Amino acid sequence: MDAVLVIGRILFALIFITSGIAHFAKLEMMTGYAKYKKLPAAKIGVIVSGLFFLLGGIYIALGFWVDLGALLLAAFLVVSAFMMHNFWTMDDATQKMNETVAFFKNLSMAGAALIIFAIVANGGDLGAGLGDI
C-alpha cells in the first residue's frame, strides 16, 4: 500500500511542481496576467506563488515536511481562488464559466491538501519517502 500512497502523492504534487516551474520560466507572462487580474505587487506575487507551488509540491512528492507542503498549497489555493478566479464579477458567460471552474478546482485541491495535512498531523503515514521505496 505504501507504493500506492507514494504514487498518489507524486500525482497530486506534479501539477504544483510544473506550475511552480512555469511561474519562474514564464515570469513576465504570469506577471502580466496577475496585473490584468489587478493583483497588487504582481511580480512579487508570482514569485511567491511559484515558491509555494514548487516547495509544497516537492515536499509532498518526496515525503518530507509533507504537513508544511500541504499547508503552503492549501493557503495559496484558497487565497488565489478568491483573488484570481472571482467569477462573481464576470459578465461574459464563457469567462464566468471558466473562472467558476478554476475557483472550485482551487478549493477542491485546497481541500485535498488539508486532508493530507490532517492525516500527517494526526500521526498518519502517507507512505515511504522516495528514498525508502
Side-chain angles (χ1 to χ4, degrees), residues 37-108:
K37 293 299 247 174
K38 298 181 173 77
L39 184 71
K43 192 169 200 170
I44 292 170
V46 170
I47 292 168
V48 169
S49 63
L51 281 173
F52 273 44
F53 275 161
L54 202 52
L55 290 176
I58 289 170
Y59 291 164
I60 289 172
L62 296 181
F64 65 91
W65 295 342
V66 173
D67 50 350
L68 175 60
L71 282 180
L72 288 172
L73 295 177
F76 174 78
L77 288 163
V78 170
V79 169
S80 71
F82 286 94
M83 290 184 76
M84 301 296 284
H85 304 297
N86 50 346
F87 65 90
W88 53 91
T89 66
M90 307 291 161
D91 293 324
D92 178 71
T94 301
Q95 188 178 19
K96 185 177 196 121
M97 179 191 66
N98 289 336
E99 294 298 344
T100 301
V101 168
F103 178 85
F104 285 106
K105 172 202 55 98
N106 276 25
L107 291 185
S108 174

